[in-house]
Amino acid sequence: MAQEEETVKDSKFNAPPKAAIKVSPLELFTSTPSIPIGYERSLNDRINLSFEAGLISNLWTGLNNNAPFWGPKTRAEIRFYSKKQKKSPKYFAFDLMYKYYRQNQDEWVTRQEGLYEELIDYKVNHTALATHFKFGMLSFFTDKLYTDVYFGLGVRWIHRRHIGLEEDDINDGFVSETQGINFIPAAGDHILPSVTMGFRFGYKLK
């Protein structure tokens, strides 16, 4: 009798997925829009591995007067789910993110102490690596469909390279009209704090 009651009680809980596919709609509204699709697979009752990949492009959301850019974005993650069974399983995780894109840029350079300006065409190669410590929670709508809400803090390494833009052009008076207040770093290597947050829609395969 006690075993039957325990079985009924456990049936109210949602176990973490043993296999699932996921999509991240909020990625479309970042500074580097993408449509990543992910796959999560369990290693045991508590530990899951997840991999996500997508194509970065501002063509998804319109150019907004910026030149088009494109490139890959991937993310790998290991998750540790709580031992306690709950209706909304919680977890903490470590992730590693990689993204790369390239973009053609037009910038004005002042010459001879402001006597005239010259329009320079060049390419930007942008590479980023980031790692985060994250907390998250799954909320089930049905036995299969759920949302995965997460928040994490970490560190990000950015490498930005300008091709076709000489150092003399920058020293002579580099005026960036496309960067504006987007906080895009200058060429070179940069290490910055990183915040990741959002949600995914998931579908439990098993």
Side-chain angles (χ1 to χ4, degrees), residues 71-178:
K73 181 177 182 180
T74 61
R75 188 186 304 271
E77 182 177 281
I78 182 167
R79 295 185 168 195
F80 301 89
Y81 283 94
S82 172
K83 290 182 179 180
K84 296 180 179 180
Q85 289 184 318
K86 296 182 178 181
K87 292 182 179 180
S88 300
K90 295 179 175 61
Y91 65 88
F92 70 89
F94 297 94
D95 77 354
L96 180 64
M97 183 277 296
Y98 166 82
K99 70 177 176 180
Y100 167 85
Y101 68 86
R102 63 183 304 169
Q103 182 179 26
N104 295 325
Q105 294 274 22
D106 296 327
E107 303 292 354
W108 289 97
V109 175
T110 60
R111 301 296 193 189
Q112 298 183 7
E113 298 182 354
L115 183 62
Y116 69 95
E117 294 182 345
E118 180 182 355
L119 185 62
I120 302 294
D121 296 328
Y122 69 101
K123 292 181 174 63
V124 174
N125 285 357
H126 180 105
T127 305
L129 283 172
T131 184
H132 305 93
F133 178 72
K134 302 162 67 173
F135 292 95
M137 181 178 71
L138 309 185
S139 297
F140 283 82
F141 297 117
T142 68
D143 291 341
K144 299 288 187 180
L145 187 63
Y146 64 92
T147 58
D148 176 4
V149 181
Y150 61 90
F151 173 82
L153 298 174
V155 63
R156 181 179 303 250
W157 170 79
I158 296 173
H159 175 75
R160 187 175 171 88
R161 183 184 177 197
H162 296 159
I163 302 173
L165 186 67
E166 304 296 334
E167 186 176 354
D168 290 342
D169 294 331
I170 299 176
N171 294 337
D172 207 13
F174 182 60
V175 181
S176 174
E177 293 186 349
T178 59

Side-chain angles (χ1 to χ4, degrees), residues 14-25 37-42 48-52 77 79 81 86-91 136-150 198-206:
N14 293 302
K18 295 184 181 298
I21 54 174
K22 298 176 290 185
V23 65
S24 304
I37 297 175
Y39 178 73
E40 183 175 345
R41 181 75 181 186
S42 65
N48 283 18
L49 287 180
S50 178
F51 182 78
E52 190 175 273
E77 182 177 281
R79 295 185 168 195
Y81 283 94
K86 296 182 178 181
K87 292 182 179 180
S88 300
K90 295 179 175 61
Y91 65 88
M137 181 178 71
L138 309 185
S139 297
F140 283 82
F141 297 117
T142 68
D143 291 341
K144 299 288 187 180
L145 187 63
Y146 64 92
T147 58
D148 176 4
V149 181
Y150 61 90
F199 71 90
R200 302 178 179 95
F201 288 118
Y203 182 80
K204 200 173 180 180
L205 300 175
K206 59 180 180 178

Side-chain angles (χ1 to χ4, degrees), residues 21-69:
I21 54 174
K22 298 176 290 185
V23 65
S24 304
L26 288 184
E27 293 282 349
L28 275 175
F29 305 101
T30 65
S31 60
T32 52
S34 65
I35 307 177
I37 297 175
Y39 178 73
E40 183 175 345
R41 181 75 181 186
S42 65
L43 297 181
N44 57 37
D45 291 339
R46 292 190 56 215
I47 302 176
N48 283 18
L49 287 180
S50 178
F51 182 78
E52 190 175 273
L55 178 66
I56 298 170
S57 177
N58 56 351
L59 296 178
W60 307 123
T61 56
L63 297 179
N64 296 323
N65 297 321
N66 291 324
F69 60 78

